[in-house]
Amino acid sequence: MRFYWSLIYVVFLALPCFSMTGTDSTAQTLAQVFLAKDKFEKQKLERINVLKTRLMQESSLSDKQELVKDLILAYRKYQVDSAITYTQLYKQLGEQRGDAMAVRQASFYLASLYSSTGKFIEAEKLLRAVDRPNLPAALLPAYFEAYTAFSSHYGQSSNNEQYFKLSERYRDSMLMLLPDTSLQQRVALATKYVYRNREAEAEQILQQLLISTDDRYPERGLIAYLLGLMYKNKDDMDKAMYYFSLSAISDIKHVVKDNASLQSLAQCYNNRGDIDKAYQFIQAAINDAAFCNIRYRSLENSSFYGIINTAFQEKELAQKRALRQNLIVISLLSLFLVVALFFLYTQIKKLRRARADLHQANAELKKLNDQLLHINNSLSESNHIKEEYIAQFFDICSSYIDKIDEQRKLLLKRFAQKQYDDINKILKSQDVVKNELDELYRNFDVIFLNLYPSFIDDFNQLLRSDERISLKEGELLNTELRIFALIRLGITDSTKIASFLRYSLRTVYNYRVKVRSKVAGSKDEFEDKIRDIGDIRSF
């Protein structure tokens, strides 16, 4: 059996050394359990309320006494004032029943509770009132336990070494009376070894106890705490924090407000430089001690709270300074951004104006290009007309020269033959002029219609449907069309038109007025439209 426990002890010692992931997972578990503190406390209060309800409904004194004892155990590490109240009730019930054992046991409970709240006079008075020689053997462990707690609490409050030694002596007396196999005896013995620096023996017992217990045992918190305390004394902070975390997990789950694990964790995190967690745990430890009304815990916590709080405040000030600096930087960057956005906005506005101007310029340029294209087309048309008319002009002139030469030869021949009457007759005749004019007009009509083959149709489109011009058979252009054909060619002066067509100025004017009266649209724009109609034929 001894070999079995030794093997377990060696394996358990080696386990934290082989892997630090256990420490990390324990820290994560603690964080989760810490967040669920209220849930565990709510469950505890529900169990307490059930006991209170049963107590109110119970009529049997013995059953009431058992329920009150359960309430004392529920409140003892949770809220000392309530535990004192129910311990006093337990004592009253014992007195009513004539149960001397219960009365004495209640006195030991009260003494221990009084000393934890700093009521040392009341506690000592109760303990001194005990008739130790006549005390039953069954109550001696409780008697020595109460004296152990009283001496330890007073020693912590007064920092008196004598009472610490006295506490050790009372613990030794209690150990002599407890069964060797009981959990209370094993925990008390390990505690004795820890405070007497017998670390190997203490650790062997504590590791065995840690393996044999789980979170269902309230004592597991104390077992893990003692292990953490030993490793803290060895400056092995990783293992110390691991066991303190186990202790804190157990204490939180059992809603133990009288705990030392949170305070010890706060010290460890403070030494590690993790001020946030240190402040979180010391604040929780102070709140627990205040709620439970444990005087010596409050004194312990207050001695460390100042250090941790100062570090936390300094960190907060540093964070505030950093935040202030960041705000200044952000403000400057924001200002710069606003200026940049304003500059960008002005540039965008300028760009929009430039684009609008460019668009307008492009539109004007397109308009100019269209005008230039129109002018070029007009010039091309004019050049083409000129080329066409020059060619026809030379052809007609050549024809007229030939005819004049033939007429000259004819007249010369008749003159040589002294046919003076024939010469006179030829010179007085108008047929030659008439024939030449008809030929001239026909040549004009042919040339013009070759240049503008759609002129007649386009011209009629400008007239009302009932006033459109119909040509006679074999007629290319009539007088009206010929007048406006000349206008289409750019000859708008009525005098020149009359001279070309061998009409009077009045006749040309009347023709123009007559045609304008037949126009379907605006009469003022009629001649402008005339100059635009007709597509010039490509040659």
Side-chain angles (χ1 to χ4, degrees):
M1 188 69 179
R2 185 181 297 275
F3 173 75
Y4 170 75
W5 283 114
S6 299
L7 180 62
I8 293 176
Y9 169 66
V10 171
V11 171
F12 202 92
L13 276 179
L15 186 61
C17 300
F18 289 132
S19 174
M20 292 308 295
T21 57
T23 303
D24 296 335
S25 63
T26 303
Q28 292 174 2
T29 303
L30 173 60
Q32 295 171 358
V33 171
F34 190 84
L35 290 174
K37 282 184 68 177
D38 293 341
K39 183 188 76 171
F40 292 119
E41 186 167 3
K42 182 180 178 182
Q43 292 172 353
K44 184 179 183 72
L45 289 174
E46 288 174 354
R47 292 193 297 270
I48 289 174
N49 288 332
V50 169
L51 290 173
K52 288 181 178 179
T53 303
R54 288 176 59 192
L55 178 62
M56 292 176 62
Q57 296 172 351
E58 188 58 61
S59 58
S60 170
L61 290 180
S62 61
D63 292 337
K64 274 189 175 184
Q65 199 170 4
E66 289 300 317
L67 288 170
V68 170
K69 188 174 182 181
D70 290 338
L71 284 167
I72 294 170
L73 293 174
Y75 275 118
R76 187 176 60 178
K77 295 290 185 178
Y78 175 63
Q79 196 173 39
V80 175
D81 291 340
S82 296
I84 290 173
T85 300
Y86 283 103
T87 303
Q88 291 171 343
L89 178 59
Y90 184 77
K91 187 176 182 180
Q92 291 173 7
L93 291 172
E95 290 172 349
Q96 290 177 16
R97 294 183 62 228
D99 188 350
M101 289 280 288
V103 172
R104 290 172 178 173
Q105 192 175 33
S107 297
F108 300 150
Y109 285 165
L110 280 173
S112 180
L113 293 170
Y114 281 152
S115 65
S116 65
T117 59
K119 297 179 179 179
F120 299 112
I121 297 175
E122 292 85 343
E124 188 175 21
K125 183 178 179 181
L126 284 172
L127 292 173
R128 289 186 181 277
V130 175
D131 185 9
R132 179 179 172 182
N134 296 319
L135 194 65
L139 290 178
L140 283 175
Y143 171 77
F144 288 121
E145 184 181 13
Y147 254 116
T148 301
F150 168 77
S151 302
S152 176
H153 294 159
Y154 189 76
Q156 287 176 309
S157 299
S158 62
N159 199 22
N160 191 325
E161 187 67 25
Q162 180 181 351
Y163 278 91
F164 287 122
K165 293 179 179 179
L166 189 60
S167 174
E168 290 298 315
R169 288 202 295 269
Y170 282 120
R171 183 182 290 110
D172 290 340
S173 299
M174 180 180 65
L175 285 170
M176 292 174 63
L177 298 171
L178 292 173
D180 293 342
T181 57
S182 68
L183 181 59
Q184 183 183 5
Q185 192 273 346
R186 302 294 293 171
V187 172
L189 181 60
T191 306
K192 171 185 174 180
Y193 289 154
V194 169
Y195 288 112
R196 292 188 180 180
N197 296 322
R198 294 167 62 177
E199 296 174 351
E201 296 167 284
E203 188 168 6
Q204 183 176 5
I205 296 172
L206 292 171
Q207 293 290 5
Q208 293 169 358
L209 292 175
L210 197 62
I211 294 172
S212 60
T213 59
D214 53 30
D215 286 337
R216 292 175 298 177
Y217 292 83
E219 295 83 2
R220 183 176 173 82
L222 177 58
I223 294 166
Y225 172 76
L226 292 173
L227 281 167
L229 189 62
M230 287 197 322
Y231 280 109
K232 182 184 176 184
N233 293 334
K234 295 178 183 179
D235 290 329
D236 189 344
M237 298 307 296
D238 290 330
K239 290 182 181 178
M241 292 176 68
Y242 170 74
Y243 289 113
F244 285 147
S245 297
L246 287 179
S247 176
I249 291 169
S250 176
D251 289 340
I252 292 171
K253 286 184 176 180
H254 288 281
V255 199
V256 176
K257 299 290 186 178
D258 179 11
N259 66 77
S261 53
L262 292 176
Q263 178 200 107
S264 299
L265 273 174
Q267 294 176 38
C268 292
Y269 278 112
N270 184 57
N271 294 335
R272 284 286 181 88
D274 192 341
I275 305 301
D276 291 334
K277 283 191 176 180
Y279 185 79
Q280 180 188 36
F281 287 131
I282 195 65
Q283 191 68 48
I286 288 174
N287 292 338
D288 285 351
F291 180 85
C292 190
N293 193 23
I294 303 296
R295 186 173 182 273
Y296 67 93
R297 293 289 183 209
S298 299
L299 291 174
E300 288 177 350
N301 291 328
S302 61
S303 63
F304 297 108
Y305 179 76
I307 300 171
I308 295 173
N309 185 56
T310 301
F312 183 76
Q313 296 299 329
E314 288 177 355
K315 182 180 178 181
E316 277 202 333
L317 287 174
Q319 289 177 341
K320 287 179 180 178
R321 283 194 297 269
L323 181 61
R324 207 162 31 242
Q325 292 172 357
N326 291 335
L327 285 174
I328 293 171
V329 172
I330 291 171
S331 300
L332 291 174
L333 289 175
S334 300
L335 180 62
F336 174 76
L337 182 60
V338 169
V339 172
L341 288 174
F342 178 76
F343 177 76
L344 184 62
Y345 175 72
T346 56
Q347 293 300 312
I348 290 174
K349 285 184 67 177
K350 289 180 181 178
L351 182 61
R352 285 178 179 171
R353 285 197 297 269
R355 285 179 177 174
D357 294 342
L358 182 61
H359 180 73
Q360 184 177 358
N362 286 335
E364 293 177 356
L365 182 61
K366 186 177 182 300
K367 185 177 179 181
L368 291 174
N369 285 335
D370 292 340
Q371 292 176 357
L372 182 60
L373 180 62
H374 180 70
I375 292 170
N376 286 336
N377 291 334
S378 298
L379 289 175
S380 175
E381 180 182 351
S382 298
N383 289 334
H384 186 72
I385 293 171
K386 288 176 182 178
E387 292 171 359
E388 186 71 17
Y389 269 94
I390 288 171
Q392 294 292 333
F393 173 75
F394 277 110
D395 184 55
I396 292 171
C397 287
S398 177
S399 175
Y400 282 156
I401 291 171
D402 291 341
K403 289 179 180 180
I404 291 170
D405 188 52
E406 289 176 1
Q407 191 73 20
R408 181 188 64 78
K409 289 179 180 179
L410 177 63
L411 290 173
L412 184 61
K413 181 179 178 182
R414 296 288 174 90
F415 181 76
Q417 293 175 357
K418 296 182 181 183
Q419 297 177 356
Y420 298 117
D421 291 336
D422 292 339
I423 292 171
N424 185 44
K425 185 179 178 179
I426 290 170
L427 291 174
K428 287 182 178 181
S429 176
Q430 296 293 323
D431 293 339
V432 174
V433 174
K434 184 177 179 303
N435 291 335
E436 292 301 326
L437 283 174
D438 289 342
E439 183 66 21
L440 174 65
Y441 294 149
R442 183 170 183 82
N443 287 333
F444 173 80
D445 293 347
V446 170
I447 294 170
F448 183 80
L449 290 175
N450 281 334
L451 289 171
Y452 301 101
S454 64
F455 177 77
I456 296 172
D457 293 335
D458 294 340
F459 183 83
N460 278 327
Q461 290 296 323
L462 298 175
L463 304 179
R464 296 192 297 273
S465 59
D466 58 334
E467 296 291 347
R468 290 174 182 173
I469 296 172
S470 298
L471 296 172
K472 298 177 182 178
E473 185 178 354
E475 193 175 31
L476 297 177
L477 294 175
N478 62 13
T479 302
E480 293 171 337
L481 288 172
R482 203 170 285 127
I483 289 171
F484 285 98
L486 290 171
I487 291 173
R488 173 66 183 85
L489 293 173
I491 302 172
T492 58
D493 188 355
S494 296
T495 302
K496 291 182 180 180
I497 295 172
S499 176
F500 179 77
L501 297 178
R502 300 284 179 159
Y503 293 138
S504 66
L505 183 63
R506 182 71 180 173
T507 300
V508 172
Y509 178 77
N510 287 338
Y511 271 117
R512 292 177 74 168
V513 171
K514 179 182 175 181
V515 172
R516 286 183 58 171
S517 66
K518 301 177 181 180
V519 173
S522 172
K523 295 179 176 58
D524 296 333
E525 298 176 357
F526 175 64
E527 292 191 1
D528 292 332
K529 292 180 179 179
I530 290 293
R531 285 190 288 271
D532 293 333
I533 67 173
D535 295 328
I536 189 167
R537 174 181 288 175
S538 299
F539 291 89

